[in-house]
Amino acid sequence: MSLKDQIETSKLPKHIAIIMDGNGRWAKKRGLLRNLGHKSGAKSVKQIVEACAEINVKYLTLYAFSTENWNRPKIEIELLMKLLISSLRKELKTLQKNNIKLNAIGNIDLLPKSVRKELVDVIEKTKNNNRLTLSLALSYGSREEIIKTIKEISLKVKNNLISPENIDNSVINNHLYTRNLPDVDLLIRTSGEQRISNFLLWQIAYAELYFTEVLWPDFTKENLFEAILNYQNRERRFGKTSEQLS
């Protein structure tokens, strides 16, 4: 029986988030330039998006470019932005064909105008799709998101639009970039690194974490299915005891 056939459809993670790590190391191992690692990583993106759609995962969020990534060499940033534009143009038909909605989270205003234009165009053209919501975390940093949220709520408190005693999880959720997304059920990180890297800190409060040695350009549908099966074999207690769950 294939890994895909072993997955219990009734126990699918509703929201999967992935830290796509290892493009640079993948290229270095092969004596290639880093940009070729990013191009190979883009192929993995397509494969994983298709796999999630196939098994009816409803939400997939990919960490594509962090706020800290702006500190990388200028030439690498420019190559990443060009790759993003070309990928958006190239994959629009695939998104439409598979009924996939594109979403973006992060400080999008920091992206080059050409990238924002392409991104907004694809988001608009896929806004009515409902099979899978694919969110790209671009110019995203969780601490920046939380600071932004605190400032927005503080301003509303100052203007008597929100009472301090009414601030709860839902109020905070409604001011995050991810306001229209459910909390993450499964967080995957490739390349062997075992850290969160400022990604969805609020949203992964009760997520199951899965780390794999596989570099992102080598990450296949089978690797994804393996991660989901691992997730399905865990007991999610949300603070309760095993006895309470049973």
Side-chain angles (χ1 to χ4, degrees):
M1 185 184 294
S2 69
L3 291 175
K4 181 181 176 181
D5 291 336
Q6 294 176 50
I7 292 174
E8 294 182 51
T9 55
S10 62
K11 292 175 62 179
L12 278 172
K14 187 175 183 180
H15 186 179
I16 297 176
I18 304 179
I19 301 174
M20 307 179 292
D21 195 16
N23 289 346
R25 274 168 284 171
W26 183 91
K28 187 176 180 180
K29 280 176 65 177
R30 290 160 177 77
L32 303 173
L33 296 174
R34 286 179 64 88
N35 67 306
L36 294 177
H38 294 310
K39 286 183 178 179
S40 292
K43 295 177 183 177
S44 292
V45 169
K46 182 175 182 178
Q47 186 174 169
I48 297 311
V49 171
E50 289 177 350
C52 285
E54 283 175 20
I55 61 175
N56 293 317
V57 170
K58 299 304 293 183
Y59 298 89
L60 173 65
T61 300
L62 302 177
Y63 205 6
F65 192 86
S66 72
T67 49
E68 290 76 20
N69 286 155
W70 290 114
N71 297 317
R72 290 191 174 186
K74 184 179 178 181
I75 189 169
E76 182 173 351
I77 293 174
E78 290 174 349
L79 288 168
L80 284 168
M81 293 301 138
K82 288 178 181 177
L83 179 59
L84 178 57
I85 291 174
S86 64
S87 296
L88 288 168
R89 288 176 180 167
K90 184 179 178 182
E91 298 304 326
L92 176 58
K93 286 185 178 179
T94 302
L95 294 175
Q96 295 288 46
K97 178 183 176 182
N98 292 288
N99 196 19
I100 296 171
K101 175 182 178 179
L102 184 69
N103 180 46
I105 60 172
N107 193 348
I108 307 303
D109 290 339
L110 294 181
L111 296 173
K113 186 177 179 180
S114 57
V115 175
R116 291 201 309 272
K117 181 177 181 297
E118 204 69 41
L119 188 63
V120 169
D121 182 60
V122 177
I123 289 173
E124 177 64 24
K125 288 177 178 175
T126 62
K127 66 180 182 181
N128 295 319
N129 295 344
N130 57 19
R131 184 181 185 185
L132 166 69
T133 297
L134 169 62
S135 297
L136 299 181
L138 294 164
S139 189
Y140 175 88
S142 192
R143 286 185 172 182
E144 185 270 338
E145 176 185 33
I146 292 170
I147 290 170
K148 174 193 74 69
T149 296
I150 292 171
K151 288 180 178 178
E152 289 178 1
I153 294 174
S154 298
L155 186 60
K156 289 183 178 180
V157 169
K158 182 180 179 181
N159 292 326
N160 297 315
L161 297 174
I162 297 177
S163 175
E165 55 267 24
N166 290 332
I167 297 173
D168 57 13
N169 284 347
S170 64
V171 171
I172 294 173
N173 283 333
N174 288 335
H175 289 81
L176 296 171
Y177 290 129
T178 55
R179 61 180 63 88
N180 296 317
L181 304 175
D183 281 348
V184 176
D185 296 304
L186 172 61
L187 174 69
I188 300 170
R189 181 168 188 150
T190 60
S191 88
E193 302 292 351
Q194 297 187 20
R195 54 179 176 269
I196 306 304
S197 294
N198 197 20
F199 186 47
L200 301 174
L201 299 178
W202 175 272
Q203 298 87 341
I204 64 169
Y206 278 101
E208 296 297 321
L209 309 184
Y210 181 86
F211 302 104
T212 174
E213 297 287 334
V214 179
L215 300 174
W216 178 248
D218 292 327
F219 195 80
T220 65
K221 289 184 179 183
E222 294 302 299
N223 294 126
L224 175 69
F225 297 152
E226 188 176 13
I228 292 173
L229 285 169
N230 181 282
Y231 163 88
Q232 292 187 336
N233 285 322
R234 300 186 190 185
E235 183 180 66
R236 305 188 75 203
R237 295 194 298 272
F238 299 97
K240 297 180 179 180
T241 65
S242 298
E243 290 74 20
Q244 284 177 298
L245 293 176
S246 59

